[in-house]
Amino acid sequence: MTKKKKALITGITGFAGSHLAELLLRESVDVYGIQRWRSKTENMEDIKDKVKIEEADLLDAHSLYSVIDKIKPDYIFHLAAQSFVQSSWASPTQTLEVNIIGTAHLFEAVRKTDLPITIQIACSSEEYGKVLPNEVPIKETNPLRPLSPYAVSKLAMDYLGYQYHESYNMNIIRTRGFNHTGPRRGEVFAESSFAKQIAEIEKGKREPVVHVGNLEAQRDYTDVRDMVRAYYLSVQKCEPGEVYNIATGTAWRINDVLKLLISMSKVKVEIKSDPARMRPSDVEILIGNNSKFVKQTGWQPEIRFEKTMEDLLNYWRENV
Ligand code: NDP
């Protein structure tokens, strides 16, 4: 009988991390995760007895080394981050510290153990930043023109992955995920915020007004369950050191996402623009070319965006 693989997920308490843990458990992988003492664990409600959790912080190199040396995982999925673009304007250095220094701590910890671990790092389409109309769908070779401290942090993490592979031959797979969403998506993100507000209006918990930010931006949305399937394929089939876009290749304007969610509800709502939800410089259009990743792994997105939004709205209906 082949030995069960062990996977360590940083960011297991988060949105994508919790979905990835569920997938890996279904695939009979032994799942480990790290969390901080104050981490919220409600995303792991259904799996808390099936995963093994250790306490560690990206900003504490020693804690990472201890956990990795103890578990000796085959795979590390590095999803932990300050993941919200908007917050990176409010506290840029905190974002840079967690996402860059934290990743360097992780790589150094793995290097010190000298174990042949395959590490997937969750880089982001935000790294492309300012994209010209003739550059979509965006290939991995597109220039990176980051437009937020978050994007800079992810770009640096991405290139740290490249450098540690080149310098130390570490098995680091760099995935540039485009937007992904679905149940448990953080309420600070546009589509999740809309869905939550609609669910609250349905229950009479707020006045019938949906507050919105930039409705003109276009985003390439993958269902989170398709995204984590892509992450798992990446550690099995992708080339270390290489970078791969994970995207559907189609875009939704945020305004259309809002209209879609409203059409799924019976309530009548007013839409109100909120200046606090606007960014100093926004990325207008992100559509990914996924052909490199599809060729390498055979991955295809399976869940339609309408279904993703329905599941997100139902998630909030159960949770407000
Ligand atoms: P979430 O914000 O939901 O989760 C972030 C996770 O990181 C949480 O588990 C959080 O733990 C953990 N974390 C934050 N700081 C630290 C730290 N100092 N030490 C240890 N853990 C920490 O993010 P998502 O699930 O949405 O995203 C996962 C990854 O994918 C992120 O790296 C994000 O940047 C990237 N990504 C996401 C995209 C998306 O559309 N969702 C698009 C492209 C990339 P705690 O519970 O303790 O706060």
Side-chain angles (χ1 to χ4, degrees):
M1 214 173 79
T2 50
K3 224 169 131 244
K4 267 177 117 179
K5 296 278 189 201
K6 288 190 225 172
L8 172 64
I9 304 175
T10 75
I12 195 167
T13 59
F15 163 61
S18 60
H19 283 281
L20 177 61
E22 288 171 5
L23 171 84
L24 294 176
L25 289 169
R26 287 197 299 277
E27 297 285 334
S28 299
V29 174
D30 265 341
V31 180
Y32 297 77
I34 59 163
Q35 72 177 47
R36 300 180 282 180
W37 69 275
R38 293 148 54 124
S39 296
K40 292 202 189 119
T41 53
E42 63 251 19
N43 285 344
M44 295 197 302
E45 210 35 52
D46 295 344
I47 53 168
K48 61 177 187 291
D49 299 332
K50 298 178 191 142
V51 297
K52 297 165 200 88
I53 299 296
E54 300 283 346
E55 192 173 316
D57 191 314
L58 284 183
L59 297 180
D60 186 314
H62 175 74
S63 68
L64 294 174
Y65 173 75
S66 303
V67 167
I68 295 165
D69 191 50
K70 178 174 159 192
I71 299 170
K72 302 192 176 12
D74 300 283
Y75 307 125
I76 294 177
F77 296 91
H78 178 38
L79 309 189
Q82 192 304 92
S83 69
F84 187 37
V85 176
Q86 204 78 2
S87 292
S88 80
W89 298 106
S91 29
T93 53
Q94 196 256 354
T95 302
L96 299 174
E97 193 178 13
V98 173
N99 296 0
I100 307 174
I101 310 290
T103 301
H105 284 157
L106 180 76
F107 290 166
E108 281 299 318
V110 172
R111 194 160 85 84
K112 206 165 140 194
T113 63
D114 210 18
L115 294 165
I117 302 169
T118 299
I119 309 167
Q120 174 259 344
I121 57 172
C123 309
S124 167
S125 56
E126 288 286 328
E127 293 169 48
Y128 294 113
K130 187 152 92 186
V131 174
L132 309 179
N134 64 347
E135 291 174 337
V136 289
I138 309 162
K139 290 199 180 121
E140 289 83 353
T141 47
N142 212 69
L144 303 178
R145 308 183 192 99
L147 288 177
S148 65
Y150 169 80
V152 172
S153 77
K154 285 281 152 177
L155 187 161
M157 164 181 138
D158 189 336
Y159 277 97
L160 263 183
Y162 173 79
Q163 180 253 314
Y164 270 70
H165 170 261
E166 288 294 311
S167 306
Y168 306 118
N169 206 20
M170 284 170 59
N171 298 328
I172 298 169
I173 317 283
R174 302 146 60 208
T175 55
R176 283 190 196 140
F178 283 60
N179 287 60
H180 36 287
T181 187
R184 306 202 284 264
R185 170 73 148 156
E187 63 182 276
V188 290
F189 297 92
E191 73 289 352
S192 196
S193 158
F194 302 159
K196 184 179 182 205
Q197 292 180 67
I198 291 167
E200 285 173 340
I201 294 166
E202 286 178 341
K203 291 209 171 151
K205 291 190 168 179
R206 66 155 58 226
E207 51 171 0
V209 180
V210 178
H211 297 270
V212 302
N214 177 7
L215 292 179
E216 288 311 307
Q218 294 181 59
R219 292 290 182 271
D220 182 331
Y221 285 104
T222 301
D223 187 285
V224 64
R225 294 156 287 195
D226 281 330
M227 184 59 69
V228 298
R229 203 164 41 79
Y231 288 169
Y232 185 40
L233 278 171
S234 79
V235 295
Q236 300 171 86
K237 300 201 165 182
C238 287
E239 290 294 329
E242 285 292 320
V243 65
Y244 300 88
N245 283 342
I246 308 180
T248 65
T250 52
W252 278 77
R253 201 175 287 279
I254 306 294
N255 195 29
D256 294 330
V257 176
L258 175 62
K259 281 195 210 149
L260 177 67
L261 283 164
I262 290 173
S263 77
M264 291 173 178
S265 175
K266 290 198 173 72
V267 289
K268 292 264 165 297
V269 299
E270 186 192 327
I271 294 160
K272 205 167 187 175
S273 185
D274 176 2
R277 291 167 192 253
M278 299 291 181
R279 302 171 180 177
S281 52
D282 206 354
V283 175
E284 283 309 320
I285 182 161
L286 287 175
I287 306 175
N289 179 323
N290 64 14
S291 49
K292 183 175 172 186
F293 185 68
V294 168
K295 189 163 171 236
Q296 189 76 25
T297 64
W299 176 82
Q300 283 295 337
E302 287 170 359
I303 303 172
R304 292 178 63 239
F305 185 65
E306 288 81 352
K307 164 82 175 134
T308 307
M309 287 299 99
E310 194 185 319
D311 290 352
L312 176 62
L313 184 56
N314 285 335
Y315 165 77
W316 281 120
R317 282 172 173 149
E318 284 161 23
N319 284 283
V320 293

